[in-house]
Amino acid sequence: MPLGFLSLPAEIRDQIYHELLSSANARVPAAPNALADSYHFDLSILRTNRLIHHEAKKAFQDNIFLKITTPWPESIDHISSEGRVPIVAKGPHADSFSAFHLGIYIDTYRPYNDRGIHSMLILLDDLEAFTRMWHFSNLNHYGLNSHLKLKLVLQDPYVPDRKIPKPLQNALLLPFGLVKGLPKFSIEYPMLLPSVEEALRKEQETKDPSAEECLEKATGLKEQGNKHLHAGNYTLALESYVSAFAAIHITVKGRTRIVHADGYYIRPLVSGPNTGERGDLCRMILRVQLVANTVLAYLKQNNLEEAYFWGKRSIMLYRRSMTGDGTEEFQLNKGVKDDLQWLKVGVHHNHPFPAMAELGKIFYRTGIAARALDQKHEGDYFVRAAAVLLPNDTIVQGDKEKVEKEMEEERKAKKPPRRYW
């Protein structure tokens, strides 16, 4: 006679419950066009019978839920899209959910037109992503936090009189150290440990590094990466470049690169080596330099796919900024009188691109990767484009002449012979 589920040892049943109900296993990676991961909890096992419900419920309660409440319905989509924060639930399901360890109540400091209450649920694992997104928003929109107030309410949703242990208090509260400059901030929890609150408020009082300091730190990390690159330590070089991006509020994760806090840099710099220059322009030049070096590091690693991906991504972004064309296709000299005219306009002597040389390196290095990946026509196009941006680089100009010679030979080979009769 086959054994039933309840005949299994309790330890094995607990493992099964954990597999079915843990947040790690419920997380669904974002689709290619989606902005954030999501969660799908299959709770059907809780409806099996009373005993299994009682046992499985304990596994589900290991998940630490947080409830965010705001008066702005659009903020929920903003948190997901800008912060890449996975949302467990929103709307009525979130409004009625009470089994959360932390209530995050955001409102305006001054009276505001009543727009109702709008809630969403996230998990503790994603709290840092949420507070980091809030931090970036405050940098991007100067003074945003001066109009807001925040109340944090801790609770044990299952045993109200049970004290939340210090490690969990730290995990729930310390990420809010990034949320600075609030005119009103409070924590409600009768068993809050003073040391936890002290550490949180100390971090909130710490000033953010200035745009000048961020740019100087990123430049130092870039130079550190260049040293690793010249020494042949390509992995360390790439790690330094990722850290340099992070120093100027650009996050890199896998093949995703997200630019934050643009508004923080839109002003003249008042100190450091770039005093008097626009912060956003210096940041843009530094970004182009980092991409050029990143592509080179991948080429040195013989990681052609990544070199091609990151190089072409930047080329496409530049072309879109110049022409509005966001497609991935290039004309590749197919029936076009001058397929590089859009690029030549951008490097006119009256309107030179500030990081023209570094952009030229991106084109050239991406062209090398493309040709090695048997994408010859696109690779040839990028090499010819690099020659426009690097008119004094003898290596690039020599390769451009070879490419054009090959293209001419291909045209002659395809041209039908002239007949005489």
Side-chain angles (χ1 to χ4, degrees):
M1 183 174 179
L3 297 176
F5 176 76
L6 291 173
S7 64
L8 295 172
E11 294 81 0
I12 295 178
R13 297 202 303 273
D14 287 342
Q15 291 179 16
I16 294 172
Y17 298 141
H18 178 77
E19 288 293 320
L20 291 173
L21 299 172
S22 71
S23 60
N25 293 320
R27 189 165 183 140
V28 180
N33 295 325
L35 296 174
D37 293 351
S38 59
Y39 287 98
H40 176 68
F41 286 94
D42 185 353
L43 304 180
S44 57
I45 193 169
L46 296 175
R47 297 187 291 271
T48 305
N49 63 41
R50 185 173 298 177
L51 177 58
I52 291 177
H53 174 91
H54 177 74
E55 293 181 343
K57 183 173 67 173
K58 296 177 182 178
F60 183 71
Q61 291 175 352
D62 288 339
N63 300 307
I64 307 297
F65 293 98
L66 288 65
K67 184 174 180 176
I68 303 171
T69 300
T70 84
W72 306 286
E74 61 272 15
S75 63
I76 295 175
D77 293 330
H78 179 76
I79 290 168
S80 177
S81 61
E82 292 296 318
R84 287 357 188 225
V85 180
I87 297 175
V88 178
K90 60 183 178 179
H93 293 294
D95 292 338
S96 62
F97 189 82
S98 60
F100 56 88
H101 279 77
L102 179 65
I104 304 166
Y105 301 94
I106 306 167
D107 205 344
T108 55
Y109 179 61
R110 298 184 182 279
Y112 187 75
N113 294 332
D114 185 18
R115 301 179 65 179
I117 297 298
H118 306 275
S119 302
M120 62 181 289
L121 298 178
I122 67 172
L123 283 154
L124 177 58
D125 290 343
D126 304 307
L127 176 59
E128 288 190 9
F130 167 70
T131 56
R132 187 167 58 247
M133 179 278 304
W134 190 344
H135 174 65
F136 289 148
S137 294
N138 184 56
L139 293 179
N140 194 42
H141 304 284
Y142 180 76
L144 171 68
N145 283 356
S146 64
H147 302 285
L148 301 176
K149 62 181 179 180
L150 171 64
K151 179 173 70 174
L152 302 178
V153 179
L154 281 76
Q155 64 176 11
D156 185 322
Y158 309 113
V159 185
D161 295 333
R162 183 171 58 188
K163 183 177 181 180
I164 297 175
K166 182 176 181 178
L168 184 53
Q169 288 193 30
N170 281 328
L172 291 167
L173 294 178
L174 294 190
F176 287 92
L178 286 173
V179 182
K180 308 172 189 290
L182 295 166
K184 187 173 183 180
F185 169 67
S186 61
I187 306 171
E188 293 185 5
Y189 182 55
M191 291 176 278
L192 176 64
L193 294 171
S195 60
V196 175
E197 182 176 11
E198 181 182 352
L200 168 57
R201 294 189 180 275
K202 182 178 180 180
E203 182 59 30
Q204 287 181 324
E205 293 169 2
T206 303
K207 290 185 177 181
D208 291 312
S210 66
E212 291 85 351
E213 291 169 330
C214 293
L215 289 165
E216 288 186 44
K217 180 179 179 180
T219 300
L221 288 165
K222 182 199 71 174
E223 292 172 354
Q224 180 186 84
N226 293 347
K227 291 179 181 179
H228 289 311
L229 185 64
H230 295 317
N233 300 319
Y234 306 128
T235 299
L236 291 177
L238 289 167
E239 291 174 357
S240 294
Y241 297 147
V242 169
S243 297
F245 276 117
I248 50 174
H249 305 103
I250 300 173
T251 57
V252 180
K253 185 177 181 181
R255 283 190 166 187
T256 301
R257 183 177 294 156
I258 307 172
V259 181
H260 305 279
D262 282 337
Y264 196 56
Y265 295 86
I266 303 177
R267 62 171 177 80
L269 300 175
V270 296
S271 65
N274 298 311
T275 299
E277 298 182 24
R278 285 181 60 92
D280 54 337
L281 182 60
C282 292
R283 185 193 193 206
M284 184 269 293
I285 293 171
L286 184 54
R287 286 172 58 186
V288 176
Q289 292 172 342
L290 287 169
V291 172
N293 295 355
T294 296
V295 174
L296 179 58
Y298 279 127
L299 280 178
K300 294 289 188 180
Q301 278 188 332
N302 201 33
N303 191 340
L304 301 173
E305 291 81 4
E306 290 302 303
Y308 173 76
F309 173 83
W310 287 113
K312 185 174 179 180
R313 178 184 182 274
S314 292
I315 291 169
M316 289 168 55
L317 288 172
Y318 177 64
R319 184 182 65 172
R320 184 171 64 186
S321 72
M322 295 296 298
T323 68
D325 184 355
T327 64
E328 294 191 19
E329 299 300 322
F330 291 85
Q331 293 292 348
L332 305 182
N333 206 30
K334 295 179 180 179
V336 179
K337 185 176 181 180
D338 188 351
D339 57 353
L340 292 173
Q341 183 60 31
W342 69 272
L343 187 62
K344 293 175 181 177
V345 170
V347 298
H348 189 273
H349 68 281
N350 288 328
H351 303 283
F353 183 68
M356 188 169 72
E358 298 301 324
L359 183 64
K361 293 175 184 178
I362 293 174
F363 271 97
Y364 183 67
R365 292 163 183 172
T366 308
I368 293 173
R371 287 168 66 94
L373 292 169
D374 295 326
Q375 300 186 50
K376 183 179 183 302
H377 290 298
E378 193 172 56
D380 290 349
Y381 181 88
F382 292 153
V383 170
R384 291 168 50 236
V388 174
L389 298 164
L390 298 168
N392 299 319
D393 190 310
T394 56
I395 295 176
V396 174
Q397 294 300 323
D399 280 359
K400 172 221 169 189
E401 292 175 4
K402 292 178 185 177
V403 165
E404 291 183 339
K405 183 177 180 181
E406 291 173 0
M407 292 171 62
E408 182 61 28
E409 291 174 352
E410 289 176 3
R411 278 194 290 267
K412 289 180 179 179
K414 292 178 180 178
K415 186 176 181 180
R418 180 178 297 180
R419 296 183 178 181
Y420 299 90
W421 60 79

